């Protein structure tokens, strides 16, 4: 193919202009990472030890604790703030059915769109894993396909909710339903938490989930 001498610099100039314009658009349209929406690291009772978790176990006064599943009230609070090998955490080992734990901000819904993300500290036994759950403003419950859990040691994990795929969750039975939900509206989320979809096996090695600190980075939408 033949080109005129003039066509080459013209084409190159057009390419540079396109690249420059694209770079400006990217800079102007850059997504902003949301601030910390909630932080919960749990609070041990004066007596310490292991016991069912209650609202008194929350360290954040702006949050409400929600427990789900037929054995949800068997979720335990244990650990010590002075023991890095056993920090204060909730434990699902005594749940005879799948159980879930959720947190509700008293003042705001969470906007989990854009670059909203969750960071949590977890440890597992057996094949157990924890997955994110959300309650939408219309009451719909969803569970994500993202799962975390290391049996070796406590693990800090962080993930973007924009990359999570969701199924509907029957919150009473704590079981998944239907097929993947296409583009759920996460702009106004009422509750955020985690689920272990496998019943616990009790004390000792076998199967359970430990969840210590939880951070949610999201926008805040004032409740009515």
């Amino acid at each position: 193919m033949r080109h005129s001498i003039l066509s080459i610099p013209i084409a190159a100039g057009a390419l540079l202009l396109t690249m420059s314009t694209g770079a400006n658009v990217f800079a102007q349209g850059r997504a902003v990472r949301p601030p910390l929406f909630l932080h919960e690291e749990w609070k041990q009772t004066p007596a310490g030890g292991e016991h069912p978790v209650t609202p008194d176990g929350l360290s954040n006064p702006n949050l409400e604790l929600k427990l789900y599943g037929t054995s949800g009230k068997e979720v335990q609070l244990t650990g010590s703030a002075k023991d890095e090998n056993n920090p204060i955490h909730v434990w699902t080992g005594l749940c005879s059915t799948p159980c879930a734990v959720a947190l509700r901000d008293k003042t705001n819904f969470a906007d989990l769109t854009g670059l909203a993300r969750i960071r949590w500290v977890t440890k597992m036994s057996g094949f157990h894993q924890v997955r994110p759950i959300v309650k939408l403003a219309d009451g719909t419950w969803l569970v994500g396909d993202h799962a975390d859990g290391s049996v070796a040691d406590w693990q800090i994990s962080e993930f973007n909710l924009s990359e999570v795929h969701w199924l509907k969750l029957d919150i009473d039975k704590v079981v998944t339903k239907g097929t993947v939900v296409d583009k759920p509206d996460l702009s106004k989320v009422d509750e955020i938490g985690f689920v272990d979809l496998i019943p616990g096996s009790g004390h000792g090695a076998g199967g359970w989930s430990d969840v210590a600190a939880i951070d949610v980075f999201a926008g805040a939408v004032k409740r009515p």
Side-chain angles (χ1 to χ4, degrees):
M1 182 179 295
R2 298 178 60 187
H3 300 279
S4 69
I5 296 176
L6 291 176
S7 68
I8 296 176
I10 291 174
L15 177 60
L16 288 173
L17 177 61
T18 301
M19 292 174 65
S20 175
T21 303
N24 290 334
V25 170
F26 175 80
Q28 294 171 3
R30 183 178 299 158
V32 178
R33 292 180 180 84
L36 181 66
F37 176 77
L38 70 80
H39 170 77
E40 181 54 54
E41 58 185 9
W42 312 105
K43 181 178 66 177
Q44 185 58 281
T45 62
E50 177 188 309
H51 50 84
V53 65
T54 68
D56 290 338
L58 292 174
S59 63
N60 186 337
N62 296 323
L63 299 179
E64 297 175 358
L65 175 69
K66 307 287 185 176
L67 303 174
Y68 296 102
T70 56
S71 62
K73 291 183 178 180
E74 297 302 321
V75 176
Q76 304 289 299
L77 180 71
T78 187
S80 169
K82 298 179 180 180
D83 186 352
E84 66 176 10
N85 293 317
N86 187 34
I88 302 173
H89 63 279
V90 290
W91 175 67
T92 67
L94 298 186
C95 292
S96 58
T97 61
C99 53
V101 176
L103 300 170
R104 180 181 186 272
D105 186 273
K106 297 176 182 178
T107 307
N108 299 295
F109 292 105
D111 180 356
L112 299 182
T113 60
L115 293 180
R117 65 194 191 278
I118 292 176
R119 179 171 63 212
W120 51 27
V121 182
T122 63
K123 188 178 71 172
M124 305 295 130
S125 177
F127 293 149
H128 285 240
Q129 293 180 311
V130 289
R131 300 171 182 273
I133 59 170
V134 295
K135 179 185 179 183
L136 306 184
D138 65 3
T140 300
W141 278 95
L142 303 174
V143 56
D145 63 345
H146 179 91
D148 282 311
S150 167
V151 298
D153 197 0
W154 290 97
Q155 181 181 68
I156 301 174
S157 307
E158 186 168 324
F159 56 95
N160 285 82
L161 291 158
S162 61
E163 298 179 321
V164 175
H165 300 92
W166 303 92
L167 289 175
K168 286 188 176 181
L169 182 69
D170 181 330
I171 197 61
D172 295 321
K173 298 179 181 178
V174 190
V175 294
T176 58
K177 300 184 68 176
T179 57
V180 172
V181 178
D182 184 39
K183 298 179 180 179
D185 183 4
L186 301 179
S187 64
K188 196 178 287 186
V189 172
D190 188 31
E191 298 178 30
I192 307 167
F194 70 88
V195 65
D196 184 341
L197 294 172
I198 306 177
S201 64
H203 293 92
W208 38 257
S209 298
D210 286 337
V211 179
I214 301 175
D215 293 316
V216 177
F217 297 85
V221 181
K222 200 75 173 178
R223 294 184 183 277

